[in-house]
């Protein structure tokens, strides 16, 4: 069951992301991307990260993607197709190399680096993902959390300043 | 399910995102491809979080999401003002970054 | 603490004027500088009184240089010699500072001028007060620097900047010798403190260290003292390094008075006097010093006879008088040398200040052929000038008589008969050319009507120093020099300046009286001749000049020293430098450097095509870079 879910989800992710980068119409791309994000949320659930999955749907699919869609609609660019890339063949070859190398490296990750923690799947099931997650976030990572909030504030002000009509 | 499965999935998605950044001419789509790459990283983090029995990986996903949100906001604002000035968001048209 | 404050007051003035002068202080700069030097004068007087009552101090403030067993402190030495020098520097200095208030009042660089004056005062005081050769050297170089700054004060004038460079470079040549001397001292004595160096046993040891240079048998002491004397030659403008002093007259007149007459040029005499335990043991060096002193005195006097520029006459007279002092120190009469230094500071400072007042009145014209009859227009300047002339000519009872007579007598007594004779001739010439300038400038009919009509007496800030200095020029010789050769100053300086091993046997009463009479008579003859030439028979100077045309030309052209140096040293150097510049600098160094630059441009021209200006290319490059990094880390 788990395996089947993983393979289905993976298949959807890869196919939809490929469609996303190859569509000529940006609106279609955005919609394909929506599908990708939903599938990634599914992967998250499989990885015992329910809270992240929820955030993925709400923030990514709900907020960010809508923002993209909004900008696409707003600008309604008549830009289609692919860029005119210099050294096209060399680049293709290199991209393929990177692709293969990445997959090769990921597949050969037989030994797990790093220290094993204490929060096993059983414990997660017992206490609950959100509770553990919140404890970690607001204890160990409280300062980065605050900094992240400032980052968002700065980004907000920056966006307003940049997009403001002079 | 092994860790490698997730890692390969993440690698593939990352590669697709990278290809998208390289071949798209629409700046908005380039940004979207970037989001895709970030998502691939998120999968990676979540997988490690599970297989190392640590919750920190998930916290980092939250941070990456906030960075992605900030980047999307600023980036889209940039695109809007770029469009306002140049009437285009075709990356081929922006060639002044050279000698 | 008092000793340190002598140094600190000028330093504070330098800091205040130097930092805030341009923006905030401007025309009030004299307050700090004059105040500082007056306070220093006060301290010096107190120190003098203390020294008079037997005070002696060798204060070490901290250890400045520590190199294994050689420790050089920052220390101050107070003894009779340094207290006398303190009085000279601060007293004459303060007079000239006050004078400058009036003289420089219209100058744009008012604050700069006073800053430099304070720097100079500070450095001269360091030179005088230091208790070791290093501090002497530091002061030595600092007065060189301030001299450079002040000569080139009007740097927009090309001649001034050339003169400043000339002074600096000529001094450098002497200083190089001095530096070698100091190094030899440190090698020989393992210390630079006066108290360690002036140790008879060690000096005799140095004397016994004999080696051969080009087959000449020399001992270490001779070489050391000769090297040290090189410094004195540069700083005290001795032949053959005297060429800078007359050109230094390009600076403002107070500077000429302060540096090039009263204080800085006496540094060489001070140094030789201070090192008298070394010099008195070095027989060859002493004879050499007498020779150089006599030659310089004669040289300066002969050139002074023929010059027409008022300040240059005074400059050559300074050269000549410095020759006297150096001659005295060479003859072992250190007290006489310092005594002459002391009196000379007053009347030569006065002469220069008078010339400044005359310049002021004549709208910066300096040629004495354009002057004349100024007696009525500028009575104070006139009378003070007369006093100074009598003093420098050596007519009793004015200051110059006592010291000059003593130098001549002691030179005679020490056995340098020829030097004595030269000194006598120079005394005659001195009287002649000083009174020549007096008669031509202040008597007779005005030669330039226009200039004469505009002439006026100088303001009070300028005349008061003149009067004070004139007063000092009258009394100071008799005050400290009587009875002859046994006066106050002789007792005062006795413990420092009379080396144990050297005693000039005293002359018999009759002989010394004869000598004294001869020098007075010679001086009076000089005055009389000047009177005849420039007041009575005014056609005589022309005729004499024509009759002795070659000699006159030789003197007038300063013995062609500038030409000789120009052709023998400067021109070859310039040609050599030009050659090096053309072939080595441009041909090799510049070529190499340019080749590097050009190859970078060449590579850039090729590689610029990688920069397409498209975002994708850059991202792609980044990907390739990351790829390489990943491969490296993965394989590690």
């Amino acid at each position: 069951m788990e395996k089947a879910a993983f393979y289905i989800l993976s298949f959807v992710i890869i196919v939809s992301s490929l469609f996303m980068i190859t569509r000529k119409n940006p609106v279609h791309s955005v919609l394909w991307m929506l599908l990708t994000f939903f599938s990634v949320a599914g992967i998250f659930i499989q990885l015992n990260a329910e809270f992240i999955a929820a955030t993925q749907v709400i923030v990514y699919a709900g907020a960010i993607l809508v923002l993209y869609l909004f900008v696409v609609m707003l600008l309604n660019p008549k830009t289609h197709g692919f860029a005119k890339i210099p050294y096209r063949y060399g680049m293709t070859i290199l991209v393929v190399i990177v692709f293969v190398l990445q997959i090769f490296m990921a597949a050969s990750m037989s030994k797990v680096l790093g220290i094993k923690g204490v929060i096993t799947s059983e414990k997660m099931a017992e206490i609950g993902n959100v509770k553990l997650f919140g404890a970690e976030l607001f204890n160990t990572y409280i300062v980065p959390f605050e900094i992240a909030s400032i980052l968002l504030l700065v980004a907000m002000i920056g966006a307003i300043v940049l997009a403001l009509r002079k | 399910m092994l860790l490698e499965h997730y890692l390969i999935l993440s690698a593939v998605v990352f590669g697709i995102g990278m290809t998208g950044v390289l071949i798209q001419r629409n700046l908005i789509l380039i940004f979207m491809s970037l989001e895709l790459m970030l998502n691939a990283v998120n999968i990676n983090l979540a997988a490690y979080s599970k297989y190392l029995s640590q919750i920190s990986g998930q916290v980092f996903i939250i941070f990456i999401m906030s960075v992605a949100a900030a980047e999307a906001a600023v980036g889209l604002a940039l695109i809007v003002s770029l469009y306002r000035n140049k009437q285009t968001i075709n990356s081929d048209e922006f060639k002044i970054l050279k000698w | 603490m008092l000793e340190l404050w002598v140094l600190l007051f000028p330093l504070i003035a330098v800091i205040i004027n130097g930092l805030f002068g341009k923006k905030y202080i401007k025309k009030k700069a004299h307050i700090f500088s004059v105040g500082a030097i007056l306070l220093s004068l006060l301290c010096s007087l107190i120190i003098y009184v203390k020294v008079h009552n037997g005070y002696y101090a060798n204060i070490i403030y901290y250890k400045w240089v520590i190199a294994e067993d050689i420790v050089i402190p920052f220390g101050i030495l107070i003894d009779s010699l340094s207290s006398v020098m303190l009085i000279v520097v601060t007293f004459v200095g303060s007079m000239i500072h006050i004078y400058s208030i009036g003289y420089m009042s219209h100058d744009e660089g008012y604050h700069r001028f006073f800053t430099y004056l304070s720097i100079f005062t500070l450095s001269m005081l360091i030179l005088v007060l230091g208790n070791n050769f290093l501090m002497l050297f530091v002061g030595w170089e600092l007065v060189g620097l301030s001299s450079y700054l002040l000569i080139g004060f009007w740097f927009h004038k090309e001649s001034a900047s050339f003169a400043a460079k000339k002074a600096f470079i000529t001094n450098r040549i002497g200083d190089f010798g001095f530096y070698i001397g100091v190094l030899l001292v440190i090698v020989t004595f393992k210390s630079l403190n006066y108290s360690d160096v002036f140790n008879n046993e060690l000096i005799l040891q140095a004397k016994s260290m004999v080696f051969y240079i080009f087959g000449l048998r020399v001992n270490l002491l001779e070489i050391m003292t000769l090297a040290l004397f090189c410094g004195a030659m540069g700083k005290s403008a001795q032949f053959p390094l005297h060429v800078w002093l007359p050109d230094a007259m390009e600076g403002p007149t107070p500077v000429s008075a302060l540096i090039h007459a009263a204080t800085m040029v006496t540094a060489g005499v001070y140094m030789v006097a201070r090192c008298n335990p070394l010099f008195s043991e070095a027989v060859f060096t002493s004879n050499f010093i007498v020779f150089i002193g006599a030659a310089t005195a004669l040289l300066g006097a002969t050139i002074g006879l023929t010059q027409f520029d008022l300040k240059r006459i005074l400059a050559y007279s300074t050269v000549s008088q410095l020759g006297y002092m150096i001659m005295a120190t060479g003859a072992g009469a250190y007290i006489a040398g310092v005594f002459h230094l002391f009196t000379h500071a007053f009347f030569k400072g006065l002469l220069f200040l008078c010339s400044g007042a005359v310049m002021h009145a004549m709208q910066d014209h300096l040629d004495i052929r354009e002057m004349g009859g100024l007696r009525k227009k500028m009575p104070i300047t006139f009378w003070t000038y007369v006093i100074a002339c009598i003093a420098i000519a050596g007519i009793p009872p004015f200051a110059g008589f006592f010291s000059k007579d003593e130098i001549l007598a002691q030179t005679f007594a020490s056995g340098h008969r020829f030097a004595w004779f030269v000194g006598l001739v120079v005394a005659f010439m001195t009287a002649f050319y000083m009174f020549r300038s007096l008669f031509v400038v202040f008597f007779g009919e005005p030669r330039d009507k226009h200039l004469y009509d505009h002439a006026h007496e100088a303001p009070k800030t300028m005349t008061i120093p003149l009067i004070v200095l004139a007063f000092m020029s009258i009394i100071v010789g008799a005050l400290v020099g009587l009875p002859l050769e046994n006066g106050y100053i002789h007792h005062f300086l006795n413990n420092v300046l009379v080396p144990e091993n050297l005693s000039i046997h005293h002359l018999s009463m009759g002989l010394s009286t004869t000598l004294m009479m001869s020098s007075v008579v010679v001086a009076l003859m000089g005055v009389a001749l000047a009177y005849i030439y420039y007041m009575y028979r005014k056609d005589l100077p022309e005729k004499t000049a024509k009759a002795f045309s070659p000699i006159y030309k030789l003197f007038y052209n300063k013995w062609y020293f500038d030409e000789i140096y120009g052709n023998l040293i400067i021109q070859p150097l310039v040609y050599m430098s030009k050659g090096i510049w053309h072939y080595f600098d441009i041909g090799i160094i510049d070529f190499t450097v340019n080749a590097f630059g050009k190859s970078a441009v060449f590579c850039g021209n090729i590689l610029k095509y990688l920069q397409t200006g498209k975002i994708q290319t850059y991202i792609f490059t980044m990907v390739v870079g990351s790829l390489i990094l990943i491969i490296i880390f993965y394989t590690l």
Side-chain angles (χ1 to χ4, degrees):
Chain A
M1 177 60 199
E2 200 192 351
K3 258 189 186 162
F6 173 75
Y7 283 122
I8 292 167
L9 283 171
S10 300
F11 180 76
V12 174
I13 289 172
I14 292 169
V15 170
S16 60
S17 53
L18 273 174
F19 271 116
M20 175 219 137
I21 63 163
T22 47
R23 288 309 88 190
K24 290 196 171 175
N25 190 336
V27 181
H28 293 179
S29 285
V30 174
L31 292 176
W32 280 113
M33 191 154 185
L34 189 66
L35 186 55
T36 314
F37 283 169
F38 276 126
S39 317
V40 171
I43 292 285
F44 283 152
I45 291 172
Q46 256 202 337
L47 287 166
N48 292 341
E50 294 88 1
F51 180 71
I52 300 296
T55 323
Q56 171 86 5
V57 172
I58 296 166
V59 175
Y60 259 126
I64 298 179
L65 220 55
V66 170
L67 187 63
Y68 275 106
L69 198 58
F70 183 69
V71 173
V72 170
M73 301 282 193
L74 176 76
L75 301 181
N76 191 19
K78 301 191 172 47
T79 312
H80 298 299
F82 304 132
K84 295 189 194 108
I85 307 160
Y87 324 116
R88 188 178 287 236
Y89 295 103
M91 273 174 82
T92 316
I93 292 165
L94 263 156
V95 167
V96 169
I97 289 174
V98 174
F99 227 87
V100 171
L101 201 80
Q102 274 184 333
I103 293 167
F104 169 74
M105 278 166 67
S108 66
M109 195 57 75
S110 52
K111 62 175 188 293
V112 173
L113 301 167
I115 309 145
K116 276 245 176 198
V118 288
I119 301 162
T120 51
S121 302
E122 292 75 39
K123 204 175 173 189
M124 189 88 84
E126 187 191 325
I127 300 173
N129 170 259
V130 180
K131 199 168 184 178
L132 279 169
F133 179 83
E136 183 79 3
L137 180 62
F138 293 115
N139 286 320
T140 318
Y141 292 100
I142 182 68
V143 177
F145 176 75
E146 295 296 340
I147 294 172
S149 67
I150 291 171
L151 175 73
L152 284 170
L153 179 69
V154 170
M156 191 177 79
I157 295 168
I160 292 168
V161 169
L162 283 169
L164 208 63
R165 206 178 283 271
K166 303 234 161 47
Chain B
M1 294 302 311
L2 291 171
L3 176 61
E4 280 81 4
H5 288 100
Y6 292 101
L7 294 188
I8 292 170
L9 173 65
S10 154
V12 171
V13 177
F14 189 86
I16 293 170
M18 189 183 77
T19 317
V21 169
L22 286 175
I23 63 169
Q24 282 294 343
R25 70 156 38 146
N26 189 330
L27 281 175
I28 298 175
L29 284 181
I30 289 176
F31 266 89
M32 276 162 59
S33 303
L34 274 177
E35 300 289 346
L36 197 62
M37 288 163 80
L38 287 172
N39 251 288
V41 174
N42 284 355
I43 295 172
N44 209 332
L45 281 169
Y48 270 110
S49 167
K50 182 182 179 188
Y51 284 88
L52 284 175
S53 307
Q54 283 182 345
I55 199 91
S56 314
Q58 296 188 13
V59 178
F60 275 98
I61 293 176
I62 286 292
F63 291 140
I64 288 179
M65 277 184 182
S66 59
V67 169
E71 174 241 310
V74 176
L76 289 175
L78 276 171
I79 289 171
V80 168
S81 66
L82 204 60
Y83 185 77
R84 202 178 286 151
N85 286 325
K86 291 261 182 181
Q87 312 305 327
T88 177
I89 50 168
N90 185 349
S91 71
D92 288 345
E93 303 288 326
F94 304 114
K95 282 202 240 175
I96 51 171
L97 274 172
K98 62 176 176 180
W99 75 85
Chain C
M1 209 49 208
L2 207 58
E3 297 82 4
L4 197 61
W5 277 109
V6 175
L7 291 178
L8 286 181
F9 286 128
L11 181 65
I12 293 167
V14 169
I15 292 169
I16 294 176
N17 276 345
L19 291 183
F20 308 111
K22 193 170 183 179
K23 275 201 163 170
Y24 304 107
I25 299 173
K26 289 174 190 156
K27 291 286 173 190
K28 294 188 191 68
H30 60 266
I31 295 172
F32 300 101
S33 287
V34 175
I37 195 161
L38 285 175
L39 286 170
S40 283
L41 173 62
L42 189 69
C43 292
S44 309
L45 288 172
I46 296 170
I47 290 170
Y48 162 72
V49 172
K50 280 164 83 177
V51 173
H52 178 72
N53 293 329
Y55 176 73
Y56 170 87
N58 190 355
I59 313 158
I60 289 167
Y61 289 97
Y62 64 93
K63 286 170 181 164
W64 187 9
V65 180
I66 302 171
E68 290 194 16
D69 52 340
I70 298 168
V71 177
I72 304 168
F74 178 90
I76 284 179
L77 175 70
I78 299 287
D79 61 2
S80 45
L81 178 59
S82 49
S83 72
V84 167
M85 290 300 291
L86 274 186
I87 298 278
V88 172
V89 173
T90 51
F91 185 84
V92 180
S94 47
M95 286 307 123
I96 291 165
H97 273 69
I98 294 167
Y99 179 88
S100 309
I101 299 172
Y103 189 82
M104 300 300 287
S105 56
H106 302 300
D107 200 278
E108 295 216 340
Y110 194 69
H111 62 278
R112 194 161 55 92
F113 184 76
F114 276 99
T115 313
Y116 290 169
L117 276 190
S118 288
I119 291 177
F120 169 73
T121 314
L122 173 69
S123 36
M124 192 67 199
L125 290 172
I126 291 175
L127 191 158
V128 168
L129 281 176
N131 76 339
N132 57 57
F133 278 94
L134 187 65
M135 282 185 73
L136 179 69
F137 187 66
V138 168
W140 197 268
E141 294 299 322
L142 274 174
V143 288
L145 168 75
S146 37
S147 157
Y148 169 78
L149 292 174
L150 283 167
I151 296 170
F153 182 74
W154 288 316
F155 50 79
H156 45 83
K157 274 198 334 199
E158 201 183 17
S159 58
S161 71
F162 272 120
K165 275 186 263 177
K166 187 173 176 182
F168 201 65
I169 292 167
T170 316
N171 265 310
R172 248 346 32 69
I173 297 168
D175 290 352
F176 182 66
F178 185 63
Y179 183 61
I180 290 174
V182 172
L183 289 183
L184 282 175
V185 167
I186 210 169
V187 166
T188 317
F189 298 102
K190 302 275 178 266
S191 171
L192 282 180
N193 295 354
Y194 295 144
S195 49
D196 299 330
V197 174
F198 302 150
N199 174 322
N200 276 330
E201 281 174 34
L202 289 175
I203 291 172
L204 290 178
Q205 255 178 33
K207 202 177 177 183
S208 62
M209 285 171 75
V210 175
F211 46 92
Y212 293 88
I213 297 175
F214 302 123
L216 283 170
R217 188 172 185 278
V218 286
N219 68 51
L220 187 59
L221 190 66
E222 300 282 6
I223 294 180
M224 192 194 301
T225 46
L226 272 178
L228 287 174
F229 182 63
C230 273
M233 265 159 50
K235 197 108 313 187
S236 285
Q238 295 298 300
F239 163 82
L241 296 181
H242 65 277
V243 286
W244 66 270
L245 186 59
D247 285 10
M249 297 305 132
E250 288 293 341
T253 308
V255 172
S256 309
L258 180 61
I259 300 190
H260 309 115
T263 52
M264 178 189 117
V265 288
T266 60
V269 182
Y270 168 76
M271 191 270 288
V272 176
R274 174 60 81 192
C275 304
N276 65 74
L278 297 179
F279 280 90
S280 59
E281 281 290 343
V283 180
F284 173 75
T285 311
S286 294
N287 290 332
F288 180 70
I289 293 175
V290 172
F291 166 72
I292 289 288
T296 311
L298 189 64
L299 193 74
T302 50
I303 299 171
L305 289 177
T306 54
Q307 298 300 307
F308 289 111
D309 183 315
L310 182 56
K311 275 178 84 178
R312 275 183 189 260
I313 296 174
L314 296 178
Y316 281 108
S317 122
T318 307
V319 171
S320 157
Q321 299 298 314
L322 287 167
Y324 267 130
M325 296 174 208
I326 290 289
M327 188 170 86
T329 56
Y334 298 102
I335 292 180
V338 173
F339 186 21
H340 196 54
L341 185 164
F342 184 62
T343 52
H344 176 256
F346 293 106
F347 58 70
K348 185 47 67 65
L350 173 57
L351 280 172
F352 267 107
L353 295 189
C354 287
S355 80
V358 171
M359 251 177 93
H360 209 69
M362 300 300 284
Q363 299 168 356
D364 291 350
H365 285 260
L366 267 178
D367 196 324
I368 56 173
R369 286 169 298 191
E370 292 175 358
M371 303 171 184
L374 286 175
R375 179 168 40 115
K376 289 168 208 133
K377 286 265 183 179
M378 324 174 62
I380 298 174
T381 312
F382 166 64
W383 282 112
T384 51
Y385 197 85
V386 169
I387 290 166
C389 278
I390 299 175
I392 197 174
I395 295 169
F398 286 41
F401 162 71
F402 297 95
S403 49
K404 190 186 273 187
D405 174 58
E406 190 172 325
I407 288 176
L408 291 175
Q410 300 234 4
T411 313
F412 188 84
S414 65
H416 298 282
R417 299 287 155 87
F418 186 70
W420 167 78
F421 180 70
V422 171
L424 208 60
V425 173
V426 170
F428 170 74
M429 290 182 184
T430 309
F432 177 77
Y433 67 70
M434 286 318 300
F435 276 86
R436 166 178 177 254
S437 68
L438 174 73
F439 292 140
V440 173
V441 172
F442 289 100
F443 288 88
E445 291 303 311
R447 290 174 185 75
D448 191 321
K449 198 74 189 153
H450 178 72
L451 284 178
Y452 179 80
D453 288 341
H454 285 82
H456 56 88
E457 184 59 283
K460 276 227 170 58
T461 47
M462 286 162 73
T463 50
I464 288 171
L466 292 183
I467 293 166
V468 173
L469 282 174
F471 180 68
M472 293 301 280
S473 300
I474 297 172
I475 62 156
V476 81
L479 201 63
V480 302
L482 274 178
L484 291 175
E485 300 195 23
N486 196 21
Y488 171 72
I489 196 164
H490 303 90
H491 294 293
F492 189 65
L493 290 172
N494 197 35
N495 59 342
V496 186
L497 287 187
V498 177
E500 289 165 27
N501 52 329
L502 192 107
S503 60
I504 299 170
H505 46 165
H506 284 277
L507 299 166
S508 66
M509 197 61 200
L511 187 54
S512 69
T513 317
T514 317
L515 287 177
M516 189 182 79
M517 288 308 291
S518 63
S519 66
V520 173
V521 167
V522 157
L524 287 174
M525 272 165 58
V527 176
L529 192 68
Y531 183 77
I532 293 167
Y533 263 52
Y534 292 99
M535 296 296 287
Y536 188 63
R537 292 278 309 275
K538 289 188 181 169
D539 54 329
L540 269 181
E542 291 263 326
K543 280 184 183 167
T544 321
K546 276 209 181 110
F548 299 99
S549 174
I551 297 178
Y552 178 79
K553 272 190 183 149
L554 181 68
F555 291 171
Y556 184 72
N557 290 309
K558 305 148 199 167
W559 293 65
Y560 296 103
F561 266 107
D562 285 342
E563 287 76 7
I564 293 170
Y565 286 169
N567 288 329
L568 280 187
I569 297 168
I570 297 168
Q571 285 301 331
L573 264 177
V574 168
Y575 282 130
M576 200 174 84
S577 310
K578 270 187 182 163
I580 291 173
W581 168 42
H582 273 296
Y583 297 109
F584 187 71
D585 251 46
I586 293 180
I588 297 175
I589 294 177
D590 283 10
F591 176 78
T592 318
V593 174
N594 286 341
F596 276 110
K598 277 180 182 153
S599 60
V601 171
F602 180 71
C603 293
N605 266 331
I606 296 173
L607 290 175
K608 74 177 178 187
Y609 297 105
L610 284 179
Q611 244 184 328
T612 55
K614 300 201 60 174
I615 313 162
Q616 271 88 0
T617 324
Y618 299 136
I619 297 170
F620 174 70
T621 318
M622 203 178 90
V623 168
V624 172
S626 323
L627 181 66
I628 292 166
L629 281 179
I630 289 167
I631 291 170
I632 289 169
F633 285 119
Y634 191 70
T635 49
L636 276 178

